[in-house]
Amino acid sequence: MALYKVEICGVNTSKLPLLKNNEKDELFQRILKGDKEARELYIKGNLRLVLSIIQRFSNSNENVDDLFQIGCIGLMKAIDNFDITQNVKFSTYAVPMIIGEIRRYLRDNNTIRVSRSLRDTAYKAIYAKEELMKRNDKEPTVGEISKEIGISSEDIVFALDAIQNPVSLYEPVYSEGGDTLYIMDQISDKKNKEESWIEEISLKEAMDKLPDREHHIIKLRFFEGKTQMEVAKEIDISQAQVSRLEKSALKNMKNYLSH
């Protein structure tokens, strides 16, 4: 894998921008307000991070352009899921997500060989989707993506399906002080919102024994199906604190019910 290349995926790596800390903070505040241009600048300002990470995979036989594109997808996911209330540097959060994205790609690519043309189609569709979202401020349909890149909807769906990577709900996303946040903690529980298992087991008494804040967290998480991040924003604490309080509340409820 030739990491000495100056141009990767049409990007001149020798001229990649480097953001200052105050610029990063300002851009992220704009991103949180839905500023698409700020998101684009933030992505470009962190491409050096992606470049440094793919050098860790120099022993891989994969094309450097492919790894750079996969790393960029991991970077975009990190930006979209970064929680500034965690009080950690963005790079600390982004590095494991980018590495994880690349490792999943390498693992799955070694198991099922996806043709270069399929991958190219998938990448074109992903980038077209990003551009259309930035331009129209809404999620584009497959038909709109098809029209944008001149590839049939059927081929786009097939290509995107071919590069999909299964991810465990128990895959760690972030860890601080021994408290690990998993992918499952980022997902809304739609099932519990409609047919809650809590209602079936009659846990009202156990919940009533909880402190007010823990009671509120359990109600939001399991009755209203909110993610830990959504709960954290609503009650104005960090997601790590929500995770700790939730675990403590569930443990106390379990102990109460077992007696």
Side-chain angles (χ1 to χ4, degrees):
M1 184 171 69
L3 283 173
Y4 53 81
K5 291 177 62 175
V6 174
E7 188 168 294
I8 299 178
C9 297
V11 177
N12 189 332
T13 58
S14 66
K15 296 182 178 179
L16 288 174
L18 187 61
L19 296 174
K20 297 178 181 178
N21 287 333
N22 62 322
E23 291 176 320
K24 292 178 181 179
D25 293 340
E26 180 185 342
L27 284 174
F28 217 93
Q29 290 298 327
R30 288 168 55 189
I31 291 171
L32 293 176
K33 296 177 182 177
D35 190 325
K36 303 296 182 181
E37 181 183 0
R39 183 175 182 272
E40 190 71 21
L41 291 172
Y42 202 87
I43 291 172
K44 291 179 179 178
N46 281 278
L47 290 181
R48 287 181 182 271
L49 179 63
V50 176
L51 190 62
S52 68
I53 290 173
I54 65 174
Q55 293 185 50
R56 303 185 187 189
F57 299 88
S58 58
N59 293 328
S60 167
N61 293 322
E62 291 297 326
N63 184 283
V64 65
D65 287 3
D66 289 344
L67 292 187
F68 188 72
Q69 290 184 80
I70 296 299
C72 288
I73 292 173
L75 171 64
M76 289 187 284
K77 288 183 177 180
I79 292 172
D80 292 341
N81 291 283
F82 184 53
D83 181 4
I84 60 174
T85 64
Q86 296 293 341
N87 294 320
V88 297
K89 292 174 61 178
F90 173 75
S91 59
T92 302
Y93 176 79
V95 167
M97 290 197 72
I98 295 171
I99 291 175
E101 197 73 25
I102 294 173
R103 283 178 174 167
R104 283 192 294 275
Y105 167 78
L106 292 175
R107 179 196 65 204
D108 295 340
N109 202 41
N110 287 332
T111 305
I112 303 174
R113 201 73 184 179
V114 179
S115 72
R116 181 59 186 268
S117 61
L118 269 180
R119 282 182 284 158
D120 285 346
T121 297
Y123 296 147
K124 287 179 182 177
I126 291 171
Y127 292 134
K129 177 182 177 182
E130 288 289 324
E131 287 300 313
L132 287 168
M133 286 182 67
K134 182 173 66 173
R135 192 186 310 159
N136 303 322
D137 200 27
K138 68 181 182 68
E139 186 92 9
T141 65
V142 176
E144 289 171 334
I145 296 173
S146 171
K147 185 177 180 181
E148 180 77 9
I149 61 178
I151 298 175
S152 73
S153 298
E154 292 78 7
D155 287 345
I156 290 173
V157 172
F158 184 74
L160 290 174
D161 185 60
I163 67 166
Q164 286 298 312
N165 299 316
V167 181
S168 170
L169 288 176
Y170 292 94
E171 182 165 337
V173 172
Y174 171 78
S175 182
E176 178 186 29
D179 293 303
T180 302
L181 302 179
Y182 299 94
I183 286 179
M184 67 181 298
D185 296 325
Q186 311 287 327
I187 302 173
S188 296
D189 191 345
K190 302 301 182 184
K191 180 178 179 182
N192 280 334
K193 196 171 182 179
E194 298 171 2
E195 41 186 87
S196 174
W197 58 270
I198 297 180
E199 292 176 352
E200 297 175 5
I201 312 178
S202 184
L203 296 177
K204 186 178 183 304
E205 287 187 11
M207 287 183 64
D208 288 343
K209 298 291 182 180
L210 298 174
D212 290 343
R213 186 158 65 168
E214 291 185 10
H215 184 284
H216 189 46
I217 288 172
I218 294 299
K219 179 175 178 290
L220 292 174
R221 284 281 285 144
F222 298 102
F223 281 95
E224 299 184 16
K226 294 189 176 182
T227 67
Q228 287 188 345
M229 186 175 293
E230 290 170 335
V231 173
K233 288 181 180 179
E234 180 163 332
I235 63 178
D236 197 26
I237 61 175
S238 72
Q239 188 172 351
Q241 287 177 291
V242 171
S243 178
R244 284 194 291 269
L245 289 168
E246 179 183 315
K247 290 173 184 175
S248 173
L250 292 174
K251 182 179 179 181
N252 290 334
M253 290 168 65
K254 181 179 178 181
N255 290 337
Y256 177 83
L257 291 170
S258 64
H259 289 101

